[in-house]
Amino acid sequence: MGRKTKNCSFPSCRLPAVSLAVWLGALLVLSGCGGKDHSLRVGAALYTQDDTFISAMAQNLEGIVREAESETGKKITLFIADGKSNQSTQMDQVDRFLARGCDVLCVNLVDRTAAAVIADKAEAEGVPLIFFNRQPVAEDIQRWDRIYYVGADAKESGALQGALVLEAWEADRETLDRNGDGVLQYVMLEGEPGHQDSLLRTEYSIKAVTDGGVEVEKLANETANWNRAQAAARTAQWLEEFGEGIEVIFSNNDDMALGAIDALSNMPRSRWPLIVGVDATAPALEAVAAGQLYGTVHNDGIGQAQAMMALALALWNGEDPAQAVDLWEGHYVWLPYRAVTLENLEEFLAE
Ligand code: GAL
Ligand code: CA
């Protein structure tokens, strides 16, 4: 019953060449789907809830579901599963969502190479699938016309982060270029290896600085897996090795930037390098306010959650998703990044 109710609400469901009215009438009787009297069930699978940005996204989704319920007067049930960084755990969770009759799946992949298997499961059940935050390759997104990706362009976040550093260098080179050699010495705290946000932020942040005509020297780079404690440990090592030779700490996300700040906490502020992150999480905004973090790049988790819910509702109602969200190439919703410093911090604190 759950299955029928689901399928008949989507235009993609293939009806034999019998009068549409006859079929619709029969389906109404069989499944009661015309009245949409069952609740919308959304299953959201997270790669791990032990990630500041992702757990905030889960909260955003919960909040937006409540808003959507009161706006539409429809009951919406949101199931959230924590994949605990294990792809086979996440596979089981996806199977369970499908068995429970979820109408839409939202998947934050543990391992992006698992996208095809999940896509095929969803298609076999006729359940639309929204990937988010961890972007599958284009071929996997194109496997079926009901597969979407909601996220933000990693290159853009890197470029904005680099632009912040370039601006700071241009505005106050005397202070930033501690050894006065005209070259910007930096270290890079990287997110998970192979994650496009790690790769592209690392590349495009530095590109923005060098495109701005500043010569750079990389002292060290290492992964800290998006994690604050790991980043604190790496930074502590680098401080031993390079001391005040580090002029800028680039971090692929805010949690790792906060880890760097933890490692610096015993050093007088006047001797700290400049630190930049990405995400604009609540604790990172506090660190900007306290002058510890020079800047960050706002990763719009609320916008992403809103887009996911708008898509889910449109698909469930059998409406054209392109009317509900800004859809690029029929599959993608891109939310813009925005740079944050002390100057425009107020706008973000208000959110
Ligand atoms: C990034 C975010 C990181 C981490 C990662 C997980 O977009 O900046 O903090 O949450 O996603 O995939
Ligand atoms: Ca220098």
Side-chain angles (χ1 to χ4, degrees), residues 137-159:
V137 293
E139 289 144 34
D140 291 342
I141 294 282
Q142 283 150 10
R143 282 176 102 79
W144 183 36
D145 62 356
R146 307 254 133 189
I147 300 179
Y148 304 90
Y149 178 72
V150 174
D153 177 9
K155 285 182 200 160
E156 190 189 359
S157 52

Side-chain angles (χ1 to χ4, degrees), residues 177-185 247:
D177 185 14
R178 273 172 213 275
N179 65 354
D181 66 351
V183 178
L184 185 154
Q185 276 81 18
E247 294 170 346

Side-chain angles (χ1 to χ4, degrees), residues 13-62:
C13 106
R14 282 171 213 110
L15 299 176
V18 181
S19 145
L20 189 63
V22 171
W23 269 99
L24 282 178
L27 285 171
L28 282 173
V29 172
L30 281 171
S31 66
C33 94
K36 253 315 157 9
D37 46 8
H38 80 268
S39 68
L40 165 60
R41 281 155 297 184
V42 179
L46 311 178
Y47 96 93
T48 174
Q49 218 151 351
D50 200 16
D51 172 306
T52 305
F53 177 71
I54 295 300
S55 68
M57 268 215 74
Q59 282 173 12
N60 296 336
L61 274 172
E62 276 164 357

Side-chain angles (χ1 to χ4, degrees), residues 255-324:
D255 260 12
M256 297 188 295
L258 292 168
I261 290 171
D262 294 339
L264 285 159
S265 59
N266 293 326
M267 198 189 258
R269 186 76 60 82
S270 58
R271 290 162 51 200
W272 284 25
L274 186 101
I275 308 163
V276 283
V278 177
D279 280 340
T281 60
L285 293 179
E286 275 173 35
V288 173
Q292 298 172 319
L293 183 63
Y294 175 73
T296 180
V297 179
H298 179 251
N299 192 357
D300 189 1
I302 295 179
Q304 292 168 37
Q306 276 166 343
M308 285 156 64
M309 199 42 60
L311 259 178
L313 277 166
L315 291 161
W316 187 56
N317 286 325
E319 292 159 11
D320 177 4
Q323 300 296 314

Side-chain angles (χ1 to χ4, degrees), residues 30-268:
L30 281 171
S31 66
C33 94
K36 253 315 157 9
D37 46 8
H38 80 268
S39 68
L40 165 60
R41 281 155 297 184
V42 179
L46 311 178
Y47 96 93
T48 174
Q49 218 151 351
D50 200 16
D51 172 306
T52 305
F53 177 71
I54 295 300
S55 68
M57 268 215 74
Q59 282 173 12
N60 296 336
L61 274 172
E62 276 164 357
I64 283 151
V65 161
R66 301 289 84 84
E67 275 172 29
E69 272 189 319
S70 60
E71 270 165 32
T72 61
K74 304 245 163 87
K75 171 114 187 73
I76 305 174
T77 308
L78 174 67
F79 301 105
I80 292 186
D82 181 353
K84 299 191 189 297
S85 295
N86 183 319
Q87 189 56 60
S88 66
T89 301
Q90 183 169 73
M91 258 339 157
D92 293 344
Q93 292 166 340
V94 166
D95 288 340
R96 228 168 299 140
F97 283 156
L98 291 169
R100 268 174 159 173
C102 281
D103 302 288
V104 179
L105 294 186
C106 298
V107 179
N108 173 222
L109 289 162
V110 174
D111 173 358
R112 63 199 288 246
T113 62
V117 177
I118 295 178
D120 292 349
K121 284 178 193 279
E123 183 178 7
E125 300 286 328
V127 175
L129 172 61
I130 305 170
F131 289 111
F132 66 102
N133 172 264
R134 296 157 78 93
Q135 190 186 344
V137 293
E139 289 144 34
D140 291 342
I141 294 282
Q142 283 150 10
R143 282 176 102 79
W144 183 36
D145 62 356
R146 307 254 133 189
I147 300 179
Y148 304 90
Y149 178 72
V150 174
D153 177 9
K155 285 182 200 160
E156 190 189 359
S157 52
L160 288 170
Q161 189 189 57
L164 285 177
V165 172
L166 179 64
E167 247 172 57
W169 178 271
E170 283 167 349
D172 190 12
R173 180 167 146 186
E174 306 254 291
T175 314
L176 252 186
D177 185 14
R178 273 172 213 275
N179 65 354
D181 66 351
V183 178
L184 185 154
Q185 276 81 18
Y186 74 93
V187 293
M188 180 74 68
L189 283 165
E190 296 173 357
E192 277 170 277
H195 192 307
Q196 57 271 72
D197 288 350
S198 309
L199 300 169
L200 296 171
R201 287 174 189 166
T202 296
E203 179 183 349
Y204 282 82
S205 56
I206 298 305
K207 186 174 183 307
V209 175
T210 54
D211 283 355
V214 178
E215 197 185 325
V216 299
E217 181 191 353
K218 180 172 75 185
L219 299 177
N221 66 299
E222 214 171 323
T223 178
N225 293 302
W226 305 124
N227 181 281
R228 182 167 179 161
Q230 289 183 34
R234 304 276 172 279
T235 308
Q237 276 168 2
W238 290 336
L239 287 172
E240 275 189 23
E241 201 173 333
F242 308 109
E244 288 175 46
I246 305 171
E247 294 170 346
V248 174
I249 300 180
F250 287 88
S251 174
N252 286 170
N253 80 343
D254 284 344
D255 260 12
M256 297 188 295
L258 292 168
I261 290 171
D262 294 339
L264 285 159
S265 59
N266 293 326
M267 198 189 258

